[in-house]
Amino acid sequence: MKMTGAQIFCESLKREGVDVIFGLPGGAVLPVYDALYDYVQRQELRHVLVRQEAAAGHAAEAYARVTGKVGVCLVTSGPACTNLVTALADAQIDSMPIVAFTGQVPTHLIGNDAFQEADNVGICRPCTKHNYLVKDVKELASIIKEAFYVARSGRPGPVHVDLPKDILLKQTEFAYPDKVFLRSYNPTVEGHPGQIKKAAQAILKAKKPILYVGGGVINADAAPELRELAELTQIPVTMTLMGIGAFPGDHPLNLGMLGMHGAWYTNMAVISTDLLIAVGSRFDDRVTGKLDAWCPEAEVIHIDIDPSSIAKNFHVEIPIVGDAKHVVARLNRELRQLDDGSWKESRDAWWQQIRAWKAQHPLSYEWSDAIIKPQHVIQEASRQTASLDPIVATDVGQHQMWAGQYFIVNKPRHWVTSGGLGTMGYGLPAAMGAQVARPDKLVIALLGDGSFQMNMQELSTVVEERLPLKIALVNNRAHGMVRQWQELFYNRRFVGIDLSVCPDYVRLAEAFGILGLRAERPGEVTATWERALAHPGPVLIDFVVDPEEACFPMVPAGAAVRDMVLAKPMSERPEEAKARAAKLTGF
């Protein structure tokens, strides 16, 4: 059967099981939208119209994160593609499987500076796992098949397909391939048996082991195997920001988030370990701090699907290349065969030490009766929604770190955040993508006021798609994390952080047809969350919080984890800080 390139595009997506496309139309992709009309009318494909192209990419990322499927976005040529690039870079560093389609000028105009022409392939190549420029309509179906395969296999990531307009209009016989064969691309799934046995022996011999878990465990759906490993060996579990949800937040073996804003006891346990078992994590600098002072006595096991990640940033004694689900399952079998129980006494002593550290410096903040503490907002949301297992999407900044510290996430694919790239403006479109993917779930968007202002136009999409998001602004009227760094490391020379000129967020919400709420006193936090959660539609809550609150513990950039700062240096008395906060917030 003959089809146009645009029809082949739609039919190929159907064959890949795609049910939703996040997109924004334009001239170069209008043939696709014309073909899409019929598929939308038949409810075979859903199109979610975003208001800015990066939002399409972030929504597709979140869709992929919460479903485990490949997310899809579609934008037009030129500036649409350049707007999308941030989302592609975000997906690349966080290993999110998406396929991004961009429009391109007709093939005979490529390189002629045609209207809305950009070198999409050249621009996207450094921030994608792979990309394609379709030059022949006969190749389109096989390229789409390859794109989905590459995006979801091995270390997942974004794949870009550039679609010249004339290719979309040409006709050819449609035949969708059953399989993909790429001679130079064969990800290793099964780990080496000898290395896995060696890892099991090291685990049973270790006196102070730690599991260091990243987002790769979630991507591999390896949470059940990870839990079995931890419980079988009674090893403490720490998670990166991307790994949150891979292990239950309320499990007694969970030590929470490690790294720059990890708890003091967590980081102490990590740097004191004699065996670090890294699973699906990449030794990011925000985790390790000064490398030569991190885990100085530890032997290191590193399990990762991507061989280029192993020993890239840190020495590794036992590398295992493979899919975390397969490798950890095999490791558990080895442990059961080799286990003689000799590790139990030393493991008890290890836990006593960790509990002592936790008692010495628990994760905490100073309460105020006068002004809302941001940690209180997040703790209350976590408490009130604990039985619902909500999906939590965050933006980037202080609120993101507090969410990582205080929101208890118990299941994989229930935590959506921008980890590696730290993309402000990510949270709202990501929450949209999560809610589209899981209409049955409560989705909470925890946003900073600075991040929200980068993509707040997407409230239109929220209303149009009837997404019942609960959007909480942790509003400190500043770029809070920048302010914290200028305060601690730049002698309080504050520049470029003041966001006191801002919309009335309640009236802004109402302008979009969304319920707007505000809480300005600590005593209002509980009731405001209760009212928001009881509302059936979308809600935007403006929580006016202490602008002076800083996120601790904190490891200064480039410093050793052992040098983490537990609280703000007392350069001023508490009453002075309180007076300044009152002056800034007006109450």
Side-chain angles (χ1 to χ4, degrees):
M1 178 181 181
K2 279 199 170 184
M3 289 186 178
T4 65
Q7 291 169 325
I8 290 171
F9 170 89
C10 295
E11 196 59 34
S12 299
L13 294 196
K14 264 188 63 184
R15 302 294 177 94
E16 288 295 329
V18 174
D19 53 8
V20 62
I21 303 167
F22 300 93
L24 202 159
V29 289
L30 280 184
V32 169
Y33 276 83
D34 186 54
L36 193 58
Y37 177 87
D38 295 325
Y39 289 83
V40 171
Q41 291 298 310
R42 295 195 297 264
Q43 298 185 340
E44 294 175 343
L45 289 171
R46 177 182 179 186
H47 180 266
V48 174
L49 172 64
V50 298
R51 270 46 174 183
Q52 209 265 9
E53 290 87 353
H58 294 320
E61 287 184 76
Y63 178 93
R65 178 72 168 181
V66 304
T67 63
K69 298 165 62 178
V70 176
V72 176
C73 53
L74 166 67
V75 302
T76 192
S77 58
C81 179
T82 57
N83 280 343
L84 182 65
V85 164
T86 298
L88 296 179
D90 193 278
Q92 172 81 342
I93 199 166
D94 282 348
S95 306
M96 290 296 114
I98 66 171
V99 175
F101 295 94
T102 57
Q104 183 54 275
V105 300
T107 49
H108 68 278
L109 289 180
I110 291 176
N112 286 3
D113 291 338
F115 176 66
Q116 289 196 332
E117 183 194 1
D119 179 6
N120 293 347
V121 169
I123 291 169
C124 295
R125 181 172 291 134
C127 52
T128 53
K129 185 176 177 183
H130 196 56
N131 63 357
Y132 300 87
L133 170 62
V134 185
K135 296 178 180 175
D136 188 333
V137 68
K138 295 176 183 174
E139 299 174 348
L140 180 57
S142 60
I143 284 177
I144 292 175
K145 180 74 176 179
E146 284 183 14
F148 277 82
Y149 171 71
V150 173
R152 70 164 70 93
S153 59
R155 179 182 175 180
V159 177
H160 166 233
V161 182
D162 204 24
L163 302 167
K165 189 171 183 178
D166 58 320
I167 299 297
L168 297 172
L169 295 170
K170 288 179 180 174
Q171 286 192 335
T172 191
E173 289 290 333
F174 175 67
Y176 202 65
D178 294 327
K179 295 181 179 177
V180 172
F181 175 72
L182 295 171
R183 185 187 300 271
S184 59
Y185 179 72
N186 295 294
T188 300
V189 175
E190 304 283 349
H192 190 283
Q195 291 293 90
I196 294 174
K197 186 168 187 175
K198 192 185 292 184
Q201 291 168 337
I203 289 171
L204 295 175
K205 190 176 68 176
K207 292 183 170 52
K208 299 183 291 183
I210 283 281
L211 272 159
Y212 156 42
V213 175
V217 170
I218 296 171
N219 285 343
D221 289 326
E225 290 76 14
L226 174 76
R227 179 168 180 162
E228 183 182 347
L229 170 61
E231 291 178 344
L232 184 66
T233 54
Q234 291 298 296
I235 296 178
V237 180
T238 67
M239 287 170 282
T240 67
L241 186 68
M242 293 303 296
I244 289 175
F247 193 73
D250 61 0
H251 195 287
L253 296 177
N254 181 20
L255 290 188
M257 185 172 69
L258 79 165
M260 179 174 278
H261 291 289
W264 185 81
Y265 54 86
T266 308
N267 280 328
M268 285 300 295
V270 172
I271 63 175
S272 303
T273 184
D274 63 352
L275 180 68
L276 187 76
I277 309 154
V279 189
S281 49
R282 58 186 178 83
F283 297 83
D284 182 84
D285 59 291
R286 290 293 172 104
V287 166
T288 64
K290 190 177 180 183
L291 272 173
D292 57 9
W294 197 65
C295 306
E297 307 297 329
E299 186 178 16
V300 178
I301 300 169
H302 192 181
I303 301 167
D304 203 291
I305 188 76
D306 180 5
S308 70
S309 288
I310 290 181
K312 180 178 180 181
N313 297 327
F314 200 70
H315 70 87
V316 173
E317 280 77 17
I318 306 177
I320 305 174
V321 178
D323 176 86
K325 191 172 186 69
H326 287 85
V327 173
V328 177
R330 177 70 182 262
L331 181 59
N332 289 337
R333 291 198 294 273
E334 288 287 349
L335 285 165
R336 290 188 190 283
Q337 289 178 6
L338 296 173
D339 186 11
D340 61 1
S342 58
W343 52 271
K344 292 183 179 176
E345 187 175 346
S346 62
R347 209 63 47 91
D348 289 343
W350 179 221
W351 270 106
Q352 285 178 20
Q353 173 65 76
I354 292 172
R355 292 189 189 102
W357 281 327
K358 193 169 185 176
Q360 190 177 352
H361 291 297
L363 196 60
S364 64
Y365 61 94
E366 190 173 341
W367 175 262
S368 168
D369 291 328
I371 192 166
I372 297 173
K373 294 291 185 176
Q375 299 94 329
H376 177 202
V377 172
I378 292 164
Q379 277 186 312
E380 187 61 25
S382 181
R383 185 187 70 79
Q384 289 198 26
T385 62
S387 63
L388 301 174
D389 283 325
I391 295 172
V392 182
T394 83
D395 230 305
V396 169
Q398 287 178 310
H399 72 280
Q400 180 190 29
M401 295 299 108
W402 284 315
Q405 293 173 338
Y406 290 99
F407 205 107
I408 297 173
V409 180
N410 284 321
K411 292 183 177 177
R413 304 196 182 280
H414 282 59
W415 172 257
V416 182
T417 197
S418 171
L421 200 63
T423 305
M424 292 179 68
Y426 170 91
L428 180 56
M432 288 162 25
Q435 188 76 85
V436 168
R438 295 295 306 271
D440 58 316
K441 298 292 292 186
L442 168 65
V443 177
I444 298 174
L446 296 172
L447 313 179
D449 48 328
S451 291
F452 175 63
Q453 290 192 48
M454 289 190 177
N455 256 330
M456 60 187 180
Q457 78 283 345
E458 296 303 329
L459 290 179
S460 290
T461 312
V462 171
V463 174
E464 182 177 11
E465 295 294 328
R466 300 181 181 181
L467 306 176
L469 298 178
K470 310 309 173 193
I471 305 164
L473 288 189
V474 182
N475 178 8
N476 58 8
R477 303 186 185 187
H479 288 300
M481 190 62 88
V482 181
R483 187 193 188 287
Q484 178 170 334
W485 282 50
Q486 289 183 343
E487 179 175 19
L488 294 176
F489 310 123
Y490 294 89
N491 200 28
R492 299 178 61 83
R493 292 160 60 87
F494 297 125
V495 177
I497 50 96
D498 185 7
L499 293 176
S500 57
V501 176
C502 63
D504 180 323
Y505 292 114
V506 172
R507 294 175 67 186
L508 178 76
E510 291 169 350
F512 280 97
I514 292 174
L515 175 62
L517 302 173
R518 177 173 292 124
E520 298 179 322
R521 303 280 180 186
E524 299 169 353
V525 172
T526 298
T528 304
W529 268 120
E530 287 173 350
R531 188 178 170 194
L533 294 169
H535 184 69
V539 184
L540 174 65
I541 319 163
D542 181 16
F543 286 106
V544 182
V545 303
D546 184 353
E548 298 284 335
E549 189 70 12
C551 188
F552 291 107
M554 179 182 186
V555 179
V561 169
R562 191 175 292 278
D563 297 329
M564 74 188 89
V565 182
L566 290 172
K568 188 181 294 188
M570 296 301 289
S571 58
E572 60 183 350
R573 294 192 296 276
E575 56 270 24
E576 290 173 338
K578 196 171 179 178
R580 191 169 62 258
K583 184 179 177 183
L584 284 166
T585 59
F587 59 88

